[in-house]
Amino acid sequence: MELQGRIKLIDETKTFGNNGFRKREVVVTTEEQYPQHIMVEFVQDKCDLLNAYQVGQQVKISINLRGREWTNPQGETKYFNSIQGWRIENIEATQSDSPVNHPPVSPQDAFEPANNFNEEEHDDLPF
């Protein structure tokens, strides 16, 4: 899955536990009729992917949805979801590096009319 939007916040990398589990969060604001502020977490070696990005950049993030089950000390089972990023791309750079964008042309204007057309001439097209 993919998520597109503008970076609102990039948090610092945090380390947890004895094994050194690393996590870094980024908040992306979607650009649609009702903008959403979506938090995406990058874990372990993927944390470093965010080093090249800044607040305000428009990005596309490849994500996985993660879910887990946890039973609290009282025996109640709880469920948690997270959005985990594994790739991030700068959309603005992709668009500006592309060849010159031409406005769309209507089908009528795409081809010049054939003024020298003669129905008597032999046509070798198979259809």
Side-chain angles (χ1 to χ4, degrees):
M1 294 191 204
E2 294 179 339
L3 168 68
Q4 288 188 12
R6 196 163 298 276
I7 296 176
K8 180 177 182 146
L9 174 118
I10 300 176
D11 204 2
E12 295 298 317
T13 301
K14 296 179 179 146
T15 305
F16 302 93
N18 296 333
N19 295 333
F21 177 79
R22 296 172 54 213
K23 180 169 110 171
R24 190 171 186 188
E25 298 171 338
V26 60
V27 176
V28 174
T29 303
T30 61
E31 295 179 340
E32 53 194 350
Q33 183 177 1
Y34 300 105
Q36 302 295 307
H37 306 286
I38 309 292
M39 186 189 63
V40 179
E41 62 183 27
F42 286 77
V43 298
Q44 300 298 77
D45 60 330
K46 302 296 182 190
C47 293
D48 298 332
L49 294 175
L50 296 175
N51 292 342
Y53 294 90
Q54 299 175 7
V55 171
Q57 285 183 294
Q58 191 168 2
V59 294
K60 175 170 63 172
I61 302 177
S62 298
I63 60 170
N64 290 326
L65 295 178
R66 298 286 192 199
R68 65 184 176 92
E69 179 180 272
W70 175 71
T71 304
N72 69 15
Q74 292 77 28
E76 299 172 315
T77 302
K78 305 279 183 175
Y79 296 91
F80 298 93
N81 297 320
S82 63
I83 301 170
Q84 206 168 79
W86 53 274
R87 181 173 58 198
I88 183 169
E89 300 173 52
N90 185 352
I91 294 178
E92 293 162 341
T94 305
Q95 291 173 350
S96 65
D97 292 343
S98 64
V100 176
N101 292 330
H102 297 286
V105 177
S106 68
Q108 298 91 330
D109 298 334
F111 301 98
E112 293 182 23
N115 296 331
N116 59 352
F117 179 71
N118 182 354
E119 286 191 36
E120 303 293 320
E121 288 182 15
H122 174 42
D123 186 358
D124 61 349
L125 292 176
F127 49 86

